[in-house]
Amino acid sequence: MARPRKPLLSRERIVETAGALVDAEGLEAVSTRRLAAELGVSGPSLYNHFRTKGEILDAVADRVSARIDLSMFAPDDGREWAAALHDWALSYRAALTAHPHIVPVLARGPGRRPAGLRAADAVFDAMARAGWPPAEAARIGALLGYFVTGSALGSAAGPGSVPAEEAYGSRPGRERPEATDEGAFATGLRAILDGLAVRYAAVRR
């Protein structure tokens, strides 16, 4: 009886396996040796697809970015620019919350990652269509990106090794960490959008 063939090694298999490792154990779990063992291949074979561990982590980050909804920026979507930014920020944060260990890589910016660059272009195009000056249209996407990734980094860090009761107290009315994170994000996002509305009125005069 013929022995079953091993699945062919591909970029997709490498990224999927690396992503599972990052989700389960964090960035430090990813090494060429560990990935090769998980995939059942020799270490050098990974270099036929990726030159470095950094490239693999970039690909994992881009895979997460590709899950962020951009439909609100389509020319025919109909959402007003502030509503589009609001909905994008929520989708962005949801994707990062689902994969908190990859957030430090995403926080470096889109670099040359295809999905990250598509998002930057989509936000810029939508803001420019809404009447924002080109320079400010570019800054708005960066601003929201900084806010969302910063929020996700803070949420992932949590209160550290200190028990939640010590870090946040147990007095009546004191929120749990998760509620504080959600509320802080909502408050910050509203403040940013309100500030942008004031700025928009100024640039449109």
Side-chain angles (χ1 to χ4, degrees):
M1 181 181 295
R3 296 174 61 186
R5 296 177 59 189
K6 291 183 180 178
L8 292 175
L9 188 62
S10 65
R11 286 179 64 91
E12 180 60 27
R13 280 193 67 213
I14 295 169
V15 173
E16 182 178 354
T17 302
L21 280 175
V22 171
D23 283 346
E25 302 178 34
L27 293 173
E28 296 306 315
V30 179
S31 67
T32 53
R33 179 178 295 181
R34 177 74 184 277
L35 275 175
E38 294 283 337
L39 290 161
V41 299
S42 63
S45 63
L46 298 177
Y47 295 113
N48 293 325
H49 302 276
F50 294 96
R51 293 176 297 177
T52 64
K53 170 184 169 178
E55 284 190 357
I56 295 172
L57 292 177
D58 266 343
V60 172
D62 204 53
R63 195 166 181 253
V64 172
S65 293
R67 295 169 182 163
I68 300 169
D69 185 15
L70 298 176
S71 64
M72 65 286 296
F73 298 125
D76 60 352
D77 179 81
R79 265 170 277 195
E80 185 261 344
W81 66 265
L85 289 176
H86 174 272
D87 294 348
W88 175 58
L90 293 184
S91 178
Y92 198 161
R93 187 170 189 267
L96 271 56
T97 300
H99 304 279
H101 292 149
I102 200 63
V103 175
V105 179
L106 285 162
R108 299 171 194 162
R112 295 186 178 181
R113 297 184 218 115
L117 293 173
R118 281 197 300 274
D121 287 345
V123 178
F124 174 84
D125 290 346
M127 295 305 103
R129 285 196 307 272
W132 283 94
E136 299 210 32
R139 293 170 192 154
I140 288 170
L143 168 63
L144 267 293
Y146 297 151
F147 173 68
V148 174
T149 53
S151 170
L153 281 170
S155 296
S161 59
V162 179
E165 289 74 15
E166 291 183 35
Y168 293 88
S170 56
R171 295 191 301 276
R174 182 64 63 92
E175 290 184 318
R176 300 298 297 168
E178 297 81 3
T180 298
D181 285 347
E182 292 292 335
F185 179 80
T187 300
L189 179 58
R190 186 73 266 157
I192 289 172
L193 294 176
D194 287 349
L196 286 174
V198 173
R199 178 63 185 157
Y200 184 70
V203 301
R204 295 284 287 171
R205 286 176 187 163

